[in-house]
Amino acid sequence: MGLKLIKILETDCYFGGKYLKYRNNVLIAEVYIVTLKQKNAGFEYVLLADTTGAIIERAYHYLNVKLQYAQQSTREHATVALKIFYSFIELMDIVDYEQIGWAEHTQLTQFLFGGIISGNSLIMQLGKQRSRKTVNIYMGVYRDFFRTYVKDN
């Protein structure tokens, strides 16, 4: 059995960024996390839906309950950060993100920075490139999100 080369391309679509995942040049998945916003009683609720259309419950709770009184810019950064995070875990077939190891953390960091990343079995061609400051903001969101929902055993 030969090496299985995975290639991820970032493209634009109606709902924002979309990722195409190829194995040996055959499209095997399209991943896009959709942001939905709804105002009710003066509060703007933010929902993230995965590729299947299912609402991501932890993201909903984090964005609308935990960050309920946060500044709008904080909620917007958190929304984008979680959208990228859930895209990443869907692309990498990570079922239990509570068990993310060092290798996945490194890949996530590379994914956040964007651009072209080439490895032995994984190539990512990501259109968006982010600054170190932006990546650090998103990592701060992930740390808070994990502190909120992932308990040490």
Side-chain angles (χ1 to χ4, degrees):
M1 202 74 175
L3 181 67
K4 293 184 179 171
L5 180 65
I6 300 294
K7 185 176 190 179
I8 296 171
L9 299 174
E10 182 178 19
T11 64
D12 289 325
C13 73
Y14 179 76
F15 297 109
K18 175 170 81 170
Y19 302 93
L20 305 175
K21 182 177 179 180
Y22 296 86
R23 179 179 296 125
N24 296 330
N25 293 320
V26 176
L27 181 65
I28 59 171
E30 293 185 30
V31 172
Y32 47 91
I33 304 297
V34 178
T35 303
L36 306 166
K37 295 181 179 184
Q38 178 68 46
K39 280 196 174 195
N40 187 13
F43 183 75
E44 183 175 68
Y45 289 89
V46 179
L47 297 90
L48 295 181
D50 66 17
T51 302
T52 67
I55 300 300
I56 302 169
E57 295 295 330
R58 282 188 173 172
Y60 173 86
H61 185 272
Y62 183 76
L63 295 168
N64 299 297
V65 177
K66 175 93 166 61
L67 298 183
Q68 179 178 3
Y69 300 109
Q71 294 179 351
Q72 185 64 26
S73 62
T74 300
R75 290 183 74 218
E76 288 172 4
H77 283 305
T79 299
V80 174
L82 289 177
K83 187 173 180 174
I84 295 167
F85 176 73
Y86 279 100
S87 295
F88 174 79
I89 62 171
E90 205 171 311
L91 282 166
M92 299 302 168
D93 301 316
I94 298 171
V95 178
D96 183 4
Y97 61 78
E98 295 181 17
Q99 301 301 320
I100 286 178
W102 183 252
E104 293 87 2
H105 179 273
T106 301
Q107 287 178 334
L108 174 59
T109 303
Q110 292 172 331
F111 191 75
L112 287 172
F113 276 112
I116 298 174
I117 300 110
S118 292
N120 291 331
S121 61
L122 176 66
I123 297 172
M124 293 188 274
Q125 294 178 331
L126 308 170
K128 293 182 178 64
Q129 291 185 311
R130 295 174 188 86
S131 69
R132 181 171 301 284
K133 179 181 177 184
T134 300
V135 170
N136 285 336
I137 289 169
Y138 292 170
M139 286 297 193
V141 169
Y142 301 150
R143 281 189 292 276
D144 188 51
F145 181 79
F146 272 68
R147 269 195 302 269
T148 302
Y149 297 106
V150 179
K151 308 297 181 214
D152 291 330
N153 291 329

